[in-house]
Amino acid sequence: MYGRTGAWVAGLAALLVGVATASAATGPVAVPPARVAEVVLSTLPWFVTDAPAAHRTIVLQVRLPRVALGAVVGFALAAAGTVMQGFFRNPMADPSIVGVSSGAAVGAVAVIVTGATLPFGLGLPAAAFAGALLAAFAVYLIASEGGRTPVATLLLAGVAVQTLLGAVVSFALVNAGEGIREAVFWLMGHLHDSTWGKVRLVTLVAVPCVLLLLPFARDLNALLLGEADAQAVGVEVERTRRLLLATASVATAAAVAVAGVIGFVGLVVPHVMRLLVGPDHRILLPTSAVAGAAFLVAADTVARVGASELPVGIVTAAVGAPFFLYLLRTREVRTA
Amino acid sequence: MTGLVVSDLVVDRAGRRVLDGVSVRVRPGEVVGLVGPNGAGKTTLLRACNGSLAPTAGAVRVDGDRVTGLSARETARRVATVPQEPSLGFDFPVREAVAIGRTAHVPRFGRRGPDDRAAVDRALDRAAVTDLADRPVTELSGGERARVSLARALAQDAPVLLLDEPTANLDVGHQVRTLSLVRSLAGDGGRAVVAAVHDLDLAARFCDRLVLLADRTVRAAGAPADVLTPDALADAFGVRTRVGVDEATGCPRVTALPAAAETTAATGRVHVVGGGGRAARHLRALADAGHDVSVGPVSAVDPDARVASGLALDRVVVPPHADVADDDADRIRTLAAAADVVVVPDVPVSAGIRETLDAFANGATPLVVVDGQPLAERNHAGAAGRRTWARLVDAGRAVPPAGVTEAVRTALRERPGQSDTD
């Protein structure tokens, strides 16, 4: 089991490195993959390189931040999606099921449309992050009653709040004026203005969250049995669910705050990995996270090679949805 | 106090009282069956016992500690539950689905150790699913899934085992195998076992004691034969029952009777002559109609004798193909004399039974004679047999087989001192 997990994670990590290198090599100025590796290694103090300064700048300052941001966002979304699907025992659950994305969208669009600047130099990501957590918390409070939070109520409350917040966003867009293009771009998910600062920000929040989720893989397995059965085998159901929901939501909020609403990564990647490695979360969760990183980096590379850059959310949906349908028809996508 | 002790348990759900003052005690090595009508609170009681439901008042103690004071982890090490509809979840291999039962034994940041693997192997073996260990649970049959679910509970290594309808949806073979296994888990495993069982006969057969839950509380508790009485069952299930003894197992056997409108009509004592399996349908129908039925003579090898035994009727059983002995004849006469009506079905007329039939024809008790199979086909006593039958028909009321119950009712209404109103 552990050997198998290690092998899968190592293999997917190698895939991620390959995809990242290819992505950093691709663009208006072609940089050979070997040169990319050379440039990356040159950041180590003892490594001497004679790579042109232009290549160094393109790789280290322009492309790699974007690759890194894509990787971390994909990592967080796929892990959160895996947790939500297990948690809700619902194959259509995605990381935003409790309203995280809608809340982030309201925060972001509000900032874009009003042109407001937040105190302490916090900008749009902070507003999106705050909106995301507020929405998730509101859904949780609405669904809770007497210390218990039934999953079905949570799901429905999530749908209702998402619908409401969607209306708020639409209203804001109708009255957006100048900011509408930026707002729409944000809503579709994007990685185009990546900086190492953003990478640091999202890494600091999302990666610890995912690491915190990993030891709960066994509990997620037990939760697949349903609330009563999970309790009977010794899972503190309410407490575990609160922790899983909060952690996955924070990871998702961090990802959405820097990259906008990127759909399908958190929905499709866990399904694909489940077909490949099985339903056991001890292997499913880490492999989904790494696969999500590789998938989003690859999708973003496709998004930016065309004549005009597309929001990456369009690519993930355009690639992910047909692939998902293919899996659905050719192999049984098993669900709870 | 080891084992499971439920004391004065009160549980409210959604503002409604589901259990009210339930007390049950289960010792190690004992199988206690929970029986009772749908909605009596059997599942609720089990859920309170494994801590997934908090009681409003009262307590559930396992090995002396209140379940409400224990963590889910600690509870799961003491109480294992086999749910009514086991959800085995996605397509885990059987071994992994069973290993989930070890959740409470594995530290959060640790891995399963040799102890855990050994416990899983033992559980697989015990539940006879070792052969299935690598199969995905989604491919199993209902009986196999039930055994895997049981194996998961066994892997918990808990001294208390709760089962919610372990035999629901299983065929007879699996029902008996499952309950035999449960029995042995208590017997040589030393576990305290509580099983909610729908089937009263199975409950009586495999449980040491039964607890009859009805209307939110314990209506009766004790040995199966003491709990499964028609009165207690009528009280709990609102249905008339006949409790007999199962020939094969010697255990109580409960037969529910239709809530017939006839019960409001006259009932009385009815004596029926057995033979050739011709009495069986009338025995059932008359017993169902609420009459106090006796039967005799009936041959020990006759199907009628089995029915009589199953219905726990008063009966005079005679050796096959022999004359009715004197003391048996006396008992038959006594039963017939005490009866309000004697029913003579279209039984084979042999030399051995002729004397008894003559006595009925000459007796004072009203007679109902069944005019079914032609006499010629079942008369083994020649002209004497024909005479006897003619006397019976003459003395009694001859009716077709379907008319017996009605004829008996009519005869009862015509009893001296009876009016039509009772």
Side-chain angles (χ1 to χ4, degrees):
Chain A
M1 180 78 237
Y2 294 96
R4 193 166 160 251
T5 308
W8 269 101
V9 170
L12 288 166
L15 177 69
L16 173 61
V17 169
V19 169
T21 307
S23 179
T26 310
V29 177
V31 181
R35 179 62 57 72
V36 171
E38 204 181 320
V39 167
V40 171
L41 289 172
S42 75
T43 57
L44 298 170
W46 62 85
F47 195 93
V48 184
T49 176
D50 57 354
H55 281 181
R56 285 179 55 89
T57 309
I58 288 171
V59 171
L60 291 179
Q61 299 306 320
V62 179
R63 294 192 189 155
L64 272 188
R66 182 160 184 166
V67 167
L69 194 70
V72 176
V73 166
F75 183 82
L77 289 179
T82 308
V83 169
M84 292 300 189
Q85 283 173 10
F87 178 103
F88 282 101
R89 299 208 293 158
N90 188 322
M92 291 316 288
D94 75 2
S96 300
I97 193 156
V98 288
V100 173
S101 293
S102 309
V106 169
V109 171
V111 168
I112 293 168
V113 169
T114 60
T117 46
L118 281 88
F120 312 118
L122 295 171
L124 193 149
F129 188 70
L133 292 188
L134 276 175
F137 195 57
V139 167
Y140 180 78
L141 283 186
I142 291 166
S144 296
E145 195 188 338
R148 296 175 66 83
T149 315
V151 167
T153 318
L154 199 56
L155 201 68
L156 293 173
V159 170
V161 168
Q162 285 187 55
T163 308
L164 179 67
L165 295 179
V168 172
V169 168
S170 298
F171 179 78
L173 287 181
V174 166
N175 302 294
E178 299 254 302
I180 190 153
R181 190 181 152 76
E182 191 189 350
V184 168
F185 219 69
W186 190 93
L187 287 175
M188 288 176 178
H190 61 89
L191 293 164
H192 69 280
D193 51 356
S194 306
T195 62
W196 283 116
K198 277 191 184 176
V199 173
R200 257 193 302 279
L201 214 62
V202 66
T203 304
L204 279 175
V205 179
V207 173
C209 283
V210 174
L211 294 181
L212 179 62
L213 290 171
L214 288 175
F216 285 88
R218 250 192 319 253
D219 302 68
L220 275 168
N221 284 349
L223 283 171
L224 287 183
L225 310 176
E227 202 175 317
D229 288 20
Q231 179 89 28
V233 296
V235 176
E236 212 76 66
V237 171
E238 282 297 328
R239 212 173 58 197
T240 306
R241 282 211 310 221
R242 262 202 298 277
L243 192 140
L244 289 174
L245 192 65
T247 311
S249 294
V250 170
T252 308
V256 174
V258 294
V261 184
I262 299 179
F264 255 76
V265 178
L267 178 68
V268 172
V269 172
H271 274 294
V272 174
M273 290 317 296
R274 199 173 282 120
L275 286 169
L276 293 174
V277 304
D280 189 332
H281 285 91
R282 286 174 301 167
I283 181 166
L284 180 62
L285 188 51
T287 52
S288 291
V290 180
F295 175 64
L296 192 55
V297 171
D300 183 51
T301 310
V302 173
R304 66 185 169 82
V305 289
S308 69
E309 184 175 327
L310 296 170
V312 66
I314 293 180
V315 177
T316 55
V319 174
F323 185 55
F324 184 61
L325 291 175
Y326 164 76
L327 290 172
L328 198 63
R329 295 301 308 210
T330 53
R331 306 183 57 171
E332 230 175 303
V333 176
R334 296 228 174 84
T335 58
Chain B
M1 169 72 203
T2 55
L4 177 74
V5 181
V6 178
S7 37
D8 296 320
L9 191 72
V10 178
V11 177
D12 293 337
R13 293 182 79 176
R16 213 169 54 85
R17 187 137 296 186
V18 186
L19 291 176
D20 194 358
V22 169
S23 298
V24 179
R25 167 175 291 204
V26 189
R27 294 174 192 82
E30 192 179 39
V31 180
V32 169
L34 283 184
V35 295
N38 294 335
K42 298 187 294 271
T43 299
T44 302
L45 176 54
L46 292 178
R47 293 193 60 194
C49 289
N50 74 10
S52 56
L53 209 63
T56 309
V60 175
R61 286 188 176 81
V62 180
D63 290 346
D65 295 317
R66 289 174 78 118
V67 167
T68 38
L70 299 174
S71 66
R73 211 174 152 75
E74 186 54 42
T75 306
R77 290 185 190 194
R78 300 188 189 198
V79 183
T81 310
V82 179
Q84 184 165 2
E85 278 169 12
S87 68
L88 296 167
F90 287 82
D91 49 355
F92 283 105
V94 166
R95 180 182 297 280
E96 202 47 51
V98 171
I100 289 177
R102 296 301 294 170
T103 302
H105 293 270
V106 184
R108 163 147 330 279
F109 296 101
R111 302 170 170 193
R112 289 181 197 137
D115 287 359
D116 299 304
R117 278 192 288 277
V120 170
D121 284 339
R122 268 200 313 278
L124 288 169
D125 180 53
R126 205 69 210 267
V129 287
T130 306
D131 293 347
L132 307 176
D134 298 319
R135 294 256 304 275
V137 289
T138 41
E139 288 177 10
L140 303 183
S141 72
E144 289 166 340
R145 290 170 69 87
R147 294 214 302 280
V148 169
S149 169
L150 183 59
R152 186 168 75 208
L154 295 181
Q156 276 179 251
D157 265 344
V160 175
L161 180 62
L162 310 176
L163 304 109
D164 196 355
E165 302 286 356
T167 55
N169 307 322
L170 296 187
D171 64 44
V172 277
H174 280 114
Q175 286 182 345
V176 171
R177 274 192 287 278
T178 301
L179 289 175
S180 301
L181 173 62
V182 168
R183 255 262 50 107
S184 70
L185 291 172
D188 49 73
R191 287 177 169 87
V193 179
V194 183
V197 183
H198 222 81
D199 186 310
L200 297 174
D201 298 341
L202 287 173
R205 186 167 153 201
F206 288 98
C207 299
D208 299 301
R209 288 191 300 126
L210 295 184
V211 171
L212 177 61
L213 272 185
D215 201 17
R216 303 188 293 270
T217 189
V218 175
R219 282 306 176 86
D226 299 334
V227 172
L228 299 181
T229 61
D231 284 347
L233 294 173
D235 187 33
F237 291 88
V239 67
R240 291 183 311 120
T241 53
R242 187 162 298 278
V243 181
V245 174
D246 191 282
E247 279 187 346
T249 63
C251 297
R253 189 172 67 190
V254 177
T255 309
L257 308 175
E262 291 95 308
T263 50
T264 58
T267 60
R269 299 189 58 162
V270 181
H271 184 80
V272 183
V273 176
R278 313 300 294 185
R281 66 176 284 194
H282 306 304
L283 294 177
R284 276 194 214 101
L286 291 167
D288 283 0
H291 300 298
D292 188 0
V293 182
S294 57
V295 57
V298 60
S299 159
V301 297
D302 199 290
D304 291 342
R306 280 206 292 285
V307 171
S309 144
L311 294 171
L313 305 179
D314 263 348
R315 56 195 181 274
V316 179
V317 180
V318 301
H321 311 299
D323 288 355
V324 179
D326 284 349
D327 53 341
D328 283 341
D330 283 346
R331 284 183 56 210
I332 291 166
R333 262 196 296 280
T334 312
L335 285 171
D340 299 306
V341 183
V342 169
V343 174
V344 183
D346 42 353
V347 294
V349 179
S350 63
I353 202 178
R354 213 173 51 78
E355 208 173 312
T356 314
L357 296 180
D358 281 338
F360 289 151
N362 299 328
T365 315
L367 268 179
V368 170
V369 180
V370 179
D371 182 13
Q373 193 185 24
L375 179 67
E377 295 172 15
R378 54 186 169 86
N379 181 14
H380 312 295
R386 280 195 292 279
R387 277 199 300 281
T388 297
W389 196 258
R391 270 199 290 278
L392 281 171
V393 171
D394 191 43
R397 187 194 308 262
V399 296
V404 170
T405 314
E406 185 54 44
V408 166
R409 205 177 305 144
T410 310
L412 287 172
R413 271 201 297 272
E414 291 165 0
R415 273 180 297 184
Q418 291 291 314
S419 70
D420 277 358
T421 54
D422 76 349

